[in-house]
Amino acid sequence: MAKTPKVQIKGLMRFSYLSENGFAKSMSDLNAMQEVLYDPARLERRFRLFERLAFHTMALQDDTDFTCAVLIGESFPDTWRARLEDIVADFAPMRIVALPPMVHIQAVKAAYNALPDDPGASHIATFRQDDDDGMHRETTARIRAVGDAMLQVRPDAKPFIIAFNRGLYLDQSAADPLSEWYERAPLGIGLAMVAAKGDHATVFRRNHRNLVEYYDCYTEIAKPMWIRSVHEDNDSTAAPQGRAGPLRPRGVKRVLWDGFGLTPEMLEGI
């Protein structure tokens, strides 16, 4: 009898990591990029988003049988690192991984490898999350459920993608700060790749928008599964690529509380 597949879930959140490449707005000089990343005003804005969106919703997950690396640079300022350590200290699944400047994909692999392996796992589901976005409390549970189910019917052993293409955009400069959207291509929030243990492929292997060109991809639009923030520090263009959803303010308020443990008031000022 074939052994039942077992999926281990590993996440990665980059927090102002100083890499040798990988920034849409990157500069060729690392010193100049470091000055931008570690600017105190920028870091204060990132911490507000991290605490109220990214960490808040990560700690709210229904399925906490996962690990998540918070990738920072070894040069991350001591005062800010102490603040970060204090935030994550009591949340067992999350750990800080500090690395020197590296090529982005190599840093990603090193961060995932820094997380312990489950010796009983047959597959690894690597997921990504940004430090300025929120993911639905059911995200890791859905990654596990879908991953387990898909492994039972897969025609081959190649890696595959699990994506959530419906969510909310948070833009404080808009007339309606919160709006619902259905994306036409995978968004990076809660996005996962399931690969056989030892494959070494991760969800960062390709640009998330292009993953469907290279891998089988299972996407869900049953409910809004993420909150994407739009702000002055977005490294890439944070604009919807799809169709607007029908949710109105009352529905948005319900989704915020049920799925993310948030109220519109809690999102003000970030």
Side-chain angles (χ1 to χ4, degrees):
M1 181 180 294
K3 183 180 178 181
T4 302
K6 180 183 180 183
V7 175
Q8 179 185 3
I9 301 176
K10 292 184 177 185
L12 177 60
M13 182 185 298
R14 298 161 297 176
F15 197 108
S16 297
Y17 171 64
L18 181 64
S19 66
E20 293 180 0
N21 65 338
F23 291 100
K25 301 176 182 176
S26 64
M27 306 172 188
S28 57
D29 182 71
L30 276 177
N31 290 328
M33 198 66 226
Q34 177 173 306
E35 186 175 341
V36 171
L37 290 177
Y38 298 162
D39 173 71
R42 178 189 178 278
L43 283 175
E44 184 61 48
R45 294 192 297 270
R46 302 304 287 198
F47 266 91
R48 285 200 301 270
L49 288 161
F50 175 74
E51 290 183 84
R52 297 196 210 177
L53 272 180
F55 179 75
H56 171 82
T57 56
M58 185 79 73
L60 203 67
Q61 292 301 295
D62 294 336
D63 182 343
T64 58
D65 184 17
F66 69 92
T67 51
C68 181
V70 180
L71 175 58
I72 64 172
E74 288 182 346
S75 57
F76 200 77
D78 291 342
T79 301
W80 297 98
R81 176 164 180 168
R83 179 172 171 179
L84 185 62
E85 290 173 344
D86 185 60
I87 294 170
V88 307
D90 295 325
F91 185 55
M94 186 171 279
R95 59 194 64 193
I96 297 171
V97 176
L99 296 174
M102 300 167 65
V103 174
H104 181 257
I105 191 62
Q106 297 303 322
V108 163
K109 290 180 179 179
Y112 278 124
N113 289 336
L115 299 174
D117 282 334
D118 177 353
S122 61
H123 292 74
I124 307 292
T126 55
F127 77 89
R128 55 178 292 174
Q129 170 63 346
D130 292 330
D131 63 1
D132 56 352
D133 297 323
M135 61 186 201
H136 195 283
R137 66 193 308 154
E138 295 177 5
T139 301
T140 54
R142 289 304 298 159
I143 291 171
R144 188 181 309 282
V146 172
D148 287 345
M150 293 298 293
L151 286 170
Q152 301 295 328
V153 299
R154 293 282 297 153
D156 54 49
K158 295 178 181 178
F160 62 93
I161 301 298
I162 301 170
F164 306 99
N165 282 28
R166 180 184 175 191
L168 304 174
Y169 272 77
L170 171 64
D171 184 354
Q172 301 285 11
S173 67
D176 294 316
L178 284 159
S179 58
E180 181 190 31
W181 289 86
Y182 292 78
E183 292 285 334
R184 66 169 62 99
L187 201 60
I189 308 169
L191 181 71
M193 172 184 281
V194 180
K197 194 172 182 179
D199 186 291
H200 304 301
T202 78
V203 71
F204 285 91
R205 174 167 285 188
R206 300 279 183 177
N207 180 287
H208 56 278
R209 292 289 191 181
N210 302 331
L211 282 170
V212 293
E213 298 178 34
Y214 299 93
Y215 299 98
D216 290 344
C217 186
Y218 174 87
T219 63
E220 291 191 336
I221 57 169
K223 64 179 69 173
M225 291 293 286
W226 39 261
I227 302 172
R228 189 181 194 195
S229 64
V230 181
H231 51 81
E232 63 184 282
D233 299 312
N234 287 125
D235 185 53
S236 57
T237 302
Q241 297 181 24
R243 63 184 176 90
L247 276 182
R248 295 297 178 261
R250 181 178 296 181
V252 168
K253 188 174 182 179
R254 183 180 64 254
V255 165
L256 271 181
W257 182 250
D258 291 345
F260 305 92
L262 293 166
T263 65
E265 292 73 22
M266 293 168 68
L267 296 175
E268 293 176 358
I270 65 172

